[in-house]
Amino acid sequence: MSFLMSAIITFFNVGIPHNFFHMWMKAWFMAFIVAFPIVTFVAPSVRKLVMILIRTE
């Protein structure tokens, strides 16, 4: 997901210059550094909270 989103955001911000691929990979790497820990550590807590909120009896 971070791979595609970084491509789209890079495209919207700079168009397609000659170094688009390099800029995209730099943006993706930065996005991945943020996204991976969030998915690894925050997502389980969010899942638990959602299960509590939508619990039906």
Side-chain angles (χ1 to χ4, degrees):
M1 182 67 131
S2 64
F3 188 72
L4 292 175
M5 289 303 298
S6 63
I8 294 166
I9 298 302
T10 301
F11 172 74
F12 284 147
N13 284 322
V14 299
I16 301 184
H18 71 281
N19 63 341
F20 177 80
F21 185 76
H22 175 72
M23 294 173 74
W24 175 19
M25 290 298 106
K26 184 178 177 183
W28 173 69
F29 181 71
M30 300 295 265
F32 187 78
I33 288 174
V34 173
F36 185 74
I38 289 172
V39 168
T40 303
F41 299 110
V42 176
S45 299
V46 171
R47 278 190 213 110
K48 288 178 186 176
L49 177 62
V50 169
M51 293 307 292
I52 290 170
L53 292 173
I54 64 169
R55 182 181 308 167
T56 58
E57 297 188 36

